[in-house]
Amino acid sequence: MELIQQNPNLAAYLAASEAVDHEHPQVRDVADRLSGDHPDAYSYAEAAFAFVRDTIPHSADAGDPRVTWRASDVLEQRTGICYAKSIAYAALLRARGIPAALCYQRLADDDGANPAVHGLVAVLLPGEEAWARQDARGNKPGVDARFSLGEERLAWAVRPELGEVDYPELWAEPHPAVLDALKAAPDRAHLWRTLPAQL
């Protein structure tokens, strides 16, 4: 699948914003700690991926009712759904000058019911010509996402026969439907009822 850069200006994928607040001290502190042992861009990107995937539990897996949407809050509170964890990973990448985009899939249950949008990150490392999608959602039985610049190692491959979709667009900011759902949710139970079904 060919990924589509929504903004021709690569600087958009390095910018700080309300959600991707990579200038926040919380984000900078984590980035500084990770880059100490991983000074080059590739090893840093992989270490930041593992940090978000493995040390910040997905709130549904952990039964955590809190909803986070700012990168700094995700890192401080150590919780979030896929959208929030993607925002945190993008912020850690941008904090070290690595272009990072937010991108999405539409997934469904095994019978095609209950479609929902799933959040990913695409990274563009120095010397690479193509963006590479990463899924920092967090592994669990049946899910084994890995950092990879070659063959994708996402949590789930889409099943077109069930109406699932890989959205090719690379967003510099969280998609408005995603950010609106996160901001409006007082808790994860409410968020689960209001997740966008498509973009």
Side-chain angles (χ1 to χ4, degrees), residues 109-148:
D109 292 344
D110 288 341
D111 61 359
N114 301 311
V117 173
H118 175 58
L120 308 168
V121 171
V123 58
L124 184 62
L125 285 172
E128 297 290 330
E129 295 182 3
W131 292 85
R133 295 190 304 171
Q134 314 296 333
D135 191 340
R137 177 222 179 273
N139 291 338
K140 62 179 183 175
V143 173
D144 184 26
R146 305 286 181 97
F147 182 84
S148 176

Side-chain angles (χ1 to χ4, degrees), residues 87-190:
I87 291 167
Y89 181 41
L92 288 173
L93 291 169
R94 292 182 189 186
R96 284 295 170 262
I98 300 170
L102 298 158
C103 48
Y104 302 94
Q105 295 175 311
R106 181 180 190 254
L107 302 175
D109 292 344
D110 288 341
D111 61 359
N114 301 311
V117 173
H118 175 58
L120 308 168
V121 171
V123 58
L124 184 62
L125 285 172
E128 297 290 330
E129 295 182 3
W131 292 85
R133 295 190 304 171
Q134 314 296 333
D135 191 340
R137 177 222 179 273
N139 291 338
K140 62 179 183 175
V143 173
D144 184 26
R146 305 286 181 97
F147 182 84
S148 176
L149 298 183
E151 180 182 356
E152 288 188 333
R153 298 291 303 272
L154 306 179
W156 294 283
V158 300
R159 299 167 293 181
E161 68 276 12
L162 298 179
E164 296 184 336
V165 176
D166 275 319
Y167 292 108
E169 296 85 4
L170 299 177
W171 297 84
E173 300 300 326
H175 189 284
V178 166
L179 194 55
D180 289 349
L182 289 169
K183 285 184 169 184
D187 54 40
R188 188 174 47 80
H190 182 278

